[in-house]
């Protein structure tokens, strides 16, 4: 994929398909330029058998196609920079869910650009208003944070976060946080 935000969209859609009600997307960059992407959900989780197969591009649980490229492409993008991908998943009733973490060296010539992360986050929220997303992007220079549970608390039950005006506000809120650091 040409942008890391597209990997984030693809992997997060897997969390949606897994029935997640809460999804946290975090991008944490340290002072050495190591970026850690983490997508954590409370979906149904993966069995040990599935967990062993998800890195294979010819394995997918989807019925619409015969390949599953999300994890292999994310792994390729991370490994090209000297990073790696790890997946932790549980199907236990009291502790179900999946966490996918990938590390990247942002100084590597092979680092995939982040892309339009604001549009990606807005698209995920608009398409899945029932899910409580939390988005965090921290670097040594700035912190960006968005919490859909906090926004829902302010809006109340009668207003959907998928409404045009709310999505526009969320986009502006994120853009403002990113613009404040430039």
């Amino acid at each position: 994929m040409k942008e890391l935000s597209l990997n984030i969209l693809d992997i997060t859609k897997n969390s949606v398909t897994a029935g997640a009600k809460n999804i946290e997307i975090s991008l944490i960059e340290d002072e050495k330029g190591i970026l850690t992407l983490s997508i954590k959900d409370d979906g149904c989780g993966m069995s040990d058998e599935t967990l062993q197969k998800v890195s294979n591009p010819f394995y997918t649980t989807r019925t619409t196609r015969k390949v599953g490229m999300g994890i292999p492409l994310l792994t390729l993008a991370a490994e090209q920079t000297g990073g790696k991908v790890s997946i932790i998943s549980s199907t236990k009733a009291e502790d179900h869910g999946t966490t996918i973490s990938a590390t990247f060296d942002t100084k590597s010539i092979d680092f995939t650009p982040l892309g339009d992360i604001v549009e990606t986050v807005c698209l995920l929220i608009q398409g899945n208003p029932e899910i409580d997303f939390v988005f965090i992007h921290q670097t040594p220079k700035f912190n960006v944070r968005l919490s859909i549970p906090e926004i829902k608390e302010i809006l109340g039950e009668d207003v959907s976060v998928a409404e045009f005006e709310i999505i526009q506000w969320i986009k502006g809120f994120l853009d403002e946080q990113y613009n404040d650091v430039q």
Side-chain angles (χ1 to χ4, degrees):
M1 294 190 191
K2 294 181 181 181
E3 297 177 344
L4 194 53
S5 62
L6 297 176
N7 290 101
I8 293 169
L9 180 64
D10 185 61
I11 300 299
T12 305
K13 289 303 287 178
N14 292 338
S15 296
V16 172
T17 302
K21 300 294 178 217
N22 299 283
I23 300 174
E24 180 180 302
I25 302 166
S26 66
L27 296 159
I28 311 295
E29 185 177 340
D30 68 17
E31 60 282 339
K32 296 177 184 173
I34 302 301
L35 175 69
T36 301
L37 161 66
S38 180
I39 301 171
K40 181 179 181 179
D41 71 51
D42 63 351
C44 63
M46 291 183 266
S47 68
D48 290 339
E49 180 182 342
T50 301
L51 198 52
Q52 292 175 6
K53 294 178 182 179
V54 295
S55 294
N56 180 342
F58 299 105
Y59 174 78
T60 184
T61 58
R62 294 180 182 173
T63 57
T64 55
R65 62 181 187 217
K66 296 182 181 186
V67 294
M69 298 299 290
I71 299 291
L73 287 174
L74 181 65
T75 301
L76 176 65
E79 288 177 352
Q80 284 180 327
T81 71
K84 63 181 181 176
V85 170
S86 68
I87 306 170
I88 300 169
S89 191
S90 174
T91 58
K92 295 177 184 172
E94 68 280 354
D95 185 33
H96 55 86
T98 301
T99 300
I100 297 175
S101 296
T103 56
F104 305 86
D105 182 348
T106 63
K107 292 179 278 184
S108 170
I109 193 168
D110 294 317
F111 177 66
T112 305
L114 182 56
D116 197 341
I117 192 66
V118 171
E119 286 296 330
T120 298
V121 170
C122 288
L123 180 63
L124 286 166
I125 294 166
Q126 187 172 26
N128 307 282
E130 71 286 357
I131 296 176
D132 286 339
F133 287 97
V134 173
F135 172 72
I136 300 165
H137 188 176
Q138 293 177 342
T139 76
K141 296 179 182 177
F142 67 84
N143 292 315
V144 173
R145 185 174 184 282
L146 174 75
S147 171
I148 293 303
E150 291 173 8
I151 292 172
K152 286 180 177 178
E153 187 176 322
I154 293 167
L155 293 174
E157 295 178 14
D158 296 336
V159 180
S160 170
V161 293
E163 289 187 21
F164 177 77
E165 294 84 4
I166 304 302
I167 290 295
Q168 289 304 109
W169 182 87
I170 290 170
K171 181 181 180 327
F173 179 72
L174 288 170
D175 282 339
E176 183 177 304
Q177 290 183 72
Y178 279 107
N179 290 336
D180 282 348
V181 296
Q182 294 177 349

